[in-house]
Amino acid sequence: YWVGMKVAGFTLLAVFLVLVSLEGVASHGVQPLSRISIHKAVVTLDDRAYVKASPPVLGLSGQNAEWLTIELSSPNPSIEDWIGVFSPANFSSSTCLPDNPRTTPPLLCTAPIKYQYANYTSPAYKDTGKGSLRLQLINQRSDFSFALFTGGLLNPKLVAVSNIVAFANPNAPVYPRLAQGKTWNEMTVTWTSGYGINEAEPFVEWGQEGEEKKRSPAGTLTFDRSSMCGVYKDFSVESAPARTVGWRDPGFIHTSFLKELWPNSMYSYKLGHKLSNGTCIWSQVYNFKSSPYPGQNSLQRVVIFGDMGKDEADGSNEYNNFQRGSLNTTREIVRDLKNIDIVFHIGDICYANGYLSQWDQFTSQIEPIAKTVPYMIASGNHERDWPGTGSFYGNLDSGGECGVLAQSMFYVPAENRAKFWYSTDYGMFRFCIADTEHDWREGSEQYRFIEHCLASVDRQKQPWLIFLAHRVLGYSSGSYYVDEGSFAEPMGRESLQKLWQKYKVDIAMYGHVHNYERTCPIYQNVCTDNEKHYYKGTLNGTIHVVAGGGGASLSYFAPIQTLWSIYRDYDYGFVKLTAFDHSNLLFEYKKSRDGGVYDSFRISRDYRDILACTVDSCPSMTLAS
Ligand SMILES: *[C@@H]1O[C@H](CO)[C@@H](O)[C@H](O)[C@H]1NC(C)=O
Ligand SMILES: *[C@@H]1O[C@H](CO)[C@@H](O)[C@H](O)[C@H]1NC(C)=O
Ligand SMILES: *[C@@H]1O[C@H](CO)[C@@H](O)[C@H](O)[C@H]1NC(C)=O
Ligand SMILES: *[C@@H]1O[C@H](CO)[C@@H](O)[C@H](O)[C@H]1NC(C)=O
Ligand SMILES: *[C@@H]1O[C@H](CO)[C@@H](O)[C@H](O)[C@H]1NC(C)=O
C-alpha cells in the first residue's frame, strides 16, 4: 500500500482503495441525517393525524435557543414513526433543483435539520397513537415545521405537518466566534446573520471597559449551492449531500477586525446591523481578553483537542452514540473557561458531512467558549476531503463541502483560507498549524510554510513551540495506523521529522484518532529521554500527542505496547497547556466526563537548553576560531 501510494501518486483508484480499507475499521463517522432516505419519501397525508408545536414564536426575550413542545397523534402508530424538523418550514417538492435528472422528481428534496422518534418520551405511543416531545431549536434564520413520518427512516411516508414556528427575529446576529488575527494585537469576530449587504451594514461596537466605544466595520461572505462539490447524480453515492438534500442557505457570515489592542486587556463588544432607515439591530454584549505581547512573561493557558463534533441537548439525531461526548467536552471547557486563554480545535469540527444545518448548531453549541476566547480551528477530512478537488485524500468525508463551510464559518489567519495552514503566537507560545488534507511533503508549498513557521520564532522570547495538525503525522497506536504498520499517516514522519528535530519542536499534537495518547520525547522512533513526568533541560526530541477524543465516537488502540507510548486512554478528553514563564510548562490531559487530570508532565529548562545541540539539530561548526 505504501509503495502503491507513492508510485500511483494521487490517482483516485489508489487513494480510494486505501481509504475504503481505513474507513472500514476506523470511522463511525456516519452523519445521522444521512440515514434518512429523504428522496424516497412519499406523501400520504392523513386528516386524522396531527402535529402541533408551541409556542409559535420563539426568542421573545432575545434568546437564540428555546425549548418547545410537540404534541402528536396518529391513527396508525408504529414504533418506527419519527418527527422531522424542517427549516425553512416550507419543504415541499418546489424546492427540488430544476436540473433534477430524474424523470419523476422526488417529492421531498431537503433533509430535516434534526429528527427524533415519535416514541422518544412517550413509550405508549405505539399503542395509543398519542405522544409529545420536547425539542430545542436554535435561531437558524428561517421558520420551522415539524413533520410526522411513518415507515421508518428508510421508507418515509409523510403523515402530518405541524403549524409553523419562528424566532421573533430570524435574521438576528448570532453565534460570535473570536479568532486571533494576523498580528498579535488584532482580534477577529465572526458571526452569522440573515442580513445581506443590501439590507444592513454589519459592524462591531467595542472598547475597553470604562472607555468610549468605537465601531469597526465587518466584511460579509456567503455562498450558494454551486460552491459545493460533488455531482447531482440521482442520489447515488457520488451525489454529495452538500449539493442535494443537505444543502441549506448559509445566511451571511460577517467578520470584523478589531485592531491595535492593548496586551492582556479586557474588552467588551457587541454585534450590530444598521438598517437603511437608521435603526440598529444589536446582539448581546460579550467580553474577551486580548492576547499578550509575543514573548510577554505572564500566565498563559491553552486548550487543544480534535474531533469534537456536536450533539443535541434534546437527544435528537442520535445514532450509535456518534458525538455524545462532545456535550461533555463543551461543558468541561465552559466550566474552566476563566482559566483558559485560547482554544484550538484541530480538525473534524462538526461532522456536518454535507448537511449544512449542522454548522449553525455547532456554532451555537460552542458559543459560550468562542464568544469569550479565540477559537482556532484546523482543517480535517470531514471539512475538506472530496474526490477530484485537490484534497490530499480522495474520500467522501466532507459530504461535498470541500472546505467551503470551514473556511467561511471560521476565520483563521492564513494567507489563503482555502489552504488551511497558518501560524499564530500567544505570548510565550508559537503555534504552527498544518493542514493534513493538503500535501505537506518536501517540495510542497505547505512544507515551505511549515519550515518558515518553525524557523522564524525567537525561542528566547517564545520558548514553547507547538506543532498542530489533524491527522497523525507523528506517532499513534490507534489500531488502523498499526494495521498499516506505519503508526501514523504514511509520509508524515518521513517528511517532517527532520524539521521537528532541527527546529526543536516541543510538542506535536494531532486528532483524527479518537482517543488520547502521549509519547516520550522521540526522534526516528527512538525515545530521546526515558523520563515520564518531569523533563529537565533539553528534550532532544519531540513529544507527540494524540488528542482526538474531543467527542466523536472513540477509536480503538491496537493491543500492543510500543516503547514510545507512555500513556493511552480510550475515553473523551482534551489537553491543557499552562506556561507559567519562559522556563516552566505544565501539560495536562483531562477527561471530559469530570474535568479531572488523568495524565500530566512538566518541562523545566532554560534558553541554553533549547540552544543545546543534539542529534541532527545543529549545523556542523566551523573549525576556525
Ligand atoms: C421507540 O422507537 C425506536 C425506533 O423505532 C425503537 O427502537 C424502540 O424500541 C421504541 N421504543 C418503544 C418503547 O416502543
Ligand atoms: C413553498 O415554496 C415554494 C417555492 O419556494 C412556493 O412556490 C410555494 O408557494 C411555497 N408554499 C408555501 C405554502 O409557502
Ligand atoms: C426601520 O425598519 C425596521 C425593519 O423594517 C423597523 O422595525 C423599524 O421600526 C424601522 N425604524 C424606523 C425608525 O422607522
Ligand atoms: C458524560 O459525563 C457524564 C458524567 O458527567 C458521564 O456519566 C457520561 O458517561 C459522559 N458521557 C460520555 C459519552 O462520555
Ligand atoms: C541530549 O542529547 C545530548 C547530546 O546528544 C546528550 O548529551 C544529553 O545527555 C541528552 N539528554 C538526555 C536527557 O538524554
Side-chain angles (χ1 to χ4, degrees):
Y1 143 66
W2 251 85
V3 174
M5 186 124 168
K6 273 189 175 157
V7 173
F10 303 102
T11 65
L12 274 185
L13 182 62
V15 177
F16 262 127
L17 288 176
V18 169
L19 286 154
V20 164
S21 62
L22 279 187
E23 296 299 314
V25 270
S27 166
H28 326 273
V30 177
Q31 163 57 242
L33 294 175
S34 72
R35 299 175 60 235
I36 304 174
S37 306
I38 200 71
H39 56 287
K40 285 199 201 156
V42 293
V43 177
T44 56
L45 292 173
D46 187 327
D47 284 345
R48 294 167 297 168
Y50 66 79
V51 185
K52 291 177 189 160
S54 65
V57 183
L58 308 172
L60 283 171
S61 330
Q63 71 275 42
N64 294 314
E66 192 164 341
W67 288 82
L68 76 177
T69 303
I70 311 295
E71 300 288 341
L72 57 128
S73 171
S74 169
N76 300 307
S78 119
I79 58 162
E80 288 188 327
D81 291 1
W82 56 280
I83 292 282
V85 182
F86 288 85
S87 178
N90 176 1
F91 62 101
S92 72
S93 60
S94 52
T95 61
C96 289
L97 277 187
D99 60 349
N100 185 341
R102 289 172 76 112
T103 43
T104 50
L107 291 157
L108 301 183
C109 293
T110 44
I113 62 163
K114 63 202 277 181
Y115 72 91
Q116 181 55 280
Y117 288 105
N119 69 8
Y120 183 60
T121 42
S122 310
Y125 169 79
K126 66 175 190 299
D127 305 317
T128 63
K130 297 264 187 283
S132 70
L133 278 177
R134 295 272 294 155
L135 293 175
Q136 190 186 39
L137 294 187
I138 60 154
N139 196 345
Q140 290 187 259
R141 301 173 302 283
S142 276
D143 51 6
F144 304 88
S145 62
F146 305 82
L148 174 63
F149 288 89
T150 192
L153 301 179
L154 296 180
N155 292 294
K157 298 181 186 60
L158 178 63
V159 179
V161 182
S162 75
N163 53 307
I164 290 173
V165 161
F167 274 85
N169 181 4
N171 293 328
V174 288
Y175 319 130
R177 24 216 196 262
L178 300 170
Q180 302 245 98
K182 287 209 169 82
T183 55
W184 71 271
N185 58 355
E186 179 177 291
M187 186 71 87
T188 68
V189 189
T190 299
W191 74 95
T192 312
S193 87
Y195 293 114
I197 47 173
N198 297 326
E199 292 161 272
E201 281 178 1
F203 64 94
V204 175
E205 186 172 283
W206 62 287
Q208 269 177 281
E209 276 165 9
E211 294 194 354
E212 207 180 313
K213 301 285 182 274
K214 60 184 135 196
R215 289 185 178 185
S216 294
T220 298
L221 295 174
T222 188
F223 51 89
D224 61 22
R225 198 193 289 251
S226 63
S227 302
M228 300 292 101
C229 293
V231 290
Y232 187 88
K233 224 181 174 185
D234 203 11
F235 294 100
S236 57
V237 184
E238 312 93 273
S239 91
R243 229 181 148 94
T244 59
V245 292
W247 167 257
R248 185 172 184 275
D249 189 322
F252 299 94
I253 300 148
H254 314 280
T255 298
S256 183
F257 299 81
L258 316 185
K259 293 174 191 269
E260 294 186 17
L261 305 180
W262 294 61
N264 270 36
S265 302
M266 287 306 299
Y267 285 84
S268 67
Y269 69 102
K270 61 178 174 175
L271 317 171
H273 290 268
K274 190 173 175 188
L275 304 179
S276 51
N277 67 7
T279 300
C280 282
I281 307 293
W282 293 108
S283 73
Q284 295 154 19
V285 178
Y286 311 104
N287 299 291
F288 69 83
K289 190 181 81 182
S290 55
S291 172
Y293 182 68
Q296 175 181 308
N297 195 355
S298 58
L299 182 66
Q300 292 151 15
R301 300 146 308 179
V302 184
V303 160
I304 303 170
F305 56 85
D307 309 75
M308 183 164 80
K310 58 149 280 251
D311 208 351
E312 294 294 325
D314 58 22
S316 54
N317 291 17
E318 177 45 36
Y319 177 55
N320 267 354
N321 252 345
F322 176 31
Q323 299 169 74
R324 220 52 203 145
S326 72
L327 295 176
N328 282 357
T329 304
T330 304
R331 179 192 68 205
E332 289 308 318
I333 292 172
V334 171
R335 210 205 292 276
D336 194 32
L337 203 53
K338 282 199 171 57
N339 304 309
I340 295 169
D341 298 306
I342 183 170
V343 167
F344 288 85
H345 182 164
I346 50 178
D348 284 5
I349 305 301
C350 65
Y351 297 83
N353 300 2
Y355 290 84
L356 272 56
S357 58
Q358 306 302 294
W359 282 91
D360 290 310
Q361 296 166 6
F362 175 78
T363 52
S364 167
Q365 178 175 319
I366 61 154
E367 179 186 286
I369 305 169
K371 74 184 183 189
T372 312
V373 298
Y375 196 94
M376 310 303 295
I377 67 166
S379 181
N381 47 312
H382 284 286
E383 282 73 61
R384 181 60 184 84
D385 294 1
W386 193 260
T389 64
S391 55
F392 202 34
Y393 301 81
N395 58 55
L396 305 167
D397 293 354
S398 81
E401 292 178 16
C402 52
V404 176
L405 269 291
Q407 73 211 37
S408 305
M409 295 289 285
F410 284 84
Y411 180 82
V412 292
E415 200 178 320
N416 172 349
R417 283 162 70 185
K419 296 171 184 173
F420 234 103
W421 53 78
Y422 62 95
S423 77
T424 194
D425 293 325
Y426 196 90
M428 297 175 285
F429 287 98
R430 156 69 57 95
F431 298 95
C432 297
I433 295 93
D435 171 1
T436 50
E437 310 317 301
H438 283 105
D439 194 356
W440 63 76
R441 292 170 300 174
E442 201 161 355
S444 67
E445 194 184 347
Q446 180 168 203
Y447 184 92
R448 284 192 293 281
F449 159 80
I450 294 171
E451 175 150 32
H452 180 261
C453 182
L454 300 176
S456 60
V457 58
D458 172 352
R459 299 295 288 279
Q460 187 271 321
K461 300 186 176 51
Q462 292 172 271
W464 310 114
L465 180 54
I466 314 291
F467 176 85
L468 302 175
H470 177 64
R471 292 175 188 251
V472 179
L473 301 176
Y475 299 84
S476 163
S477 320
S479 57
Y480 60 93
Y481 284 138
V482 172
D483 291 347
E484 281 176 72
S486 57
F487 294 95
E489 230 36 86
M491 305 175 285
R493 285 197 305 280
E494 290 69 16
S495 303
L496 297 173
Q497 65 186 351
K498 57 181 170 295
L499 295 185
W500 300 326
Q501 186 70 4
K502 179 173 178 192
Y503 298 105
K504 298 160 179 168
V505 170
D506 295 307
I507 304 174
M509 232 181 287
Y510 318 95
H512 198 57
V513 181
H514 300 173
N515 55 33
Y516 169 76
E517 184 169 23
R518 166 168 73 97
T519 74
C520 57
I522 189 170
Y523 178 51
Q524 291 178 330
N525 302 316
V526 178
C527 291
T528 56
D529 193 328
N530 292 321
E531 173 56 39
K532 291 196 162 76
H533 295 288
Y534 191 20
Y535 299 101
K536 288 186 199 160
T538 175
L539 287 176
N540 286 354
T542 298
I543 295 170
H544 293 261
V545 174
V546 173
S553 51
L554 295 166
S555 312
Y556 293 113
F557 290 102
I560 54 162
Q561 176 64 55
T562 59
L563 288 173
W564 44 257
S565 181
I566 292 186
Y567 192 101
R568 289 183 269 186
D569 191 30
Y570 178 83
D571 201 355
Y572 300 106
F574 54 93
V575 161
K576 183 174 182 184
L577 300 177
T578 304
F580 296 100
D581 54 37
H582 289 79
S583 294
N584 292 286
L585 182 80
L586 171 66
F587 172 106
E588 295 169 300
Y589 163 67
K590 299 183 172 206
K591 277 189 192 281
S592 301
R593 64 175 67 247
D594 59 7
V597 176
Y598 287 77
D599 181 34
S600 70
F601 64 84
R602 301 178 76 98
I603 303 176
S604 283
R605 63 162 187 228
D606 295 325
Y607 180 43
R608 62 177 174 181
D609 299 318
I610 304 173
L611 293 181
C613 294
T614 65
V615 179
D616 292 347
S617 74
C618 290
S620 51
M621 270 189 284
T622 171
L623 293 175
S625 62

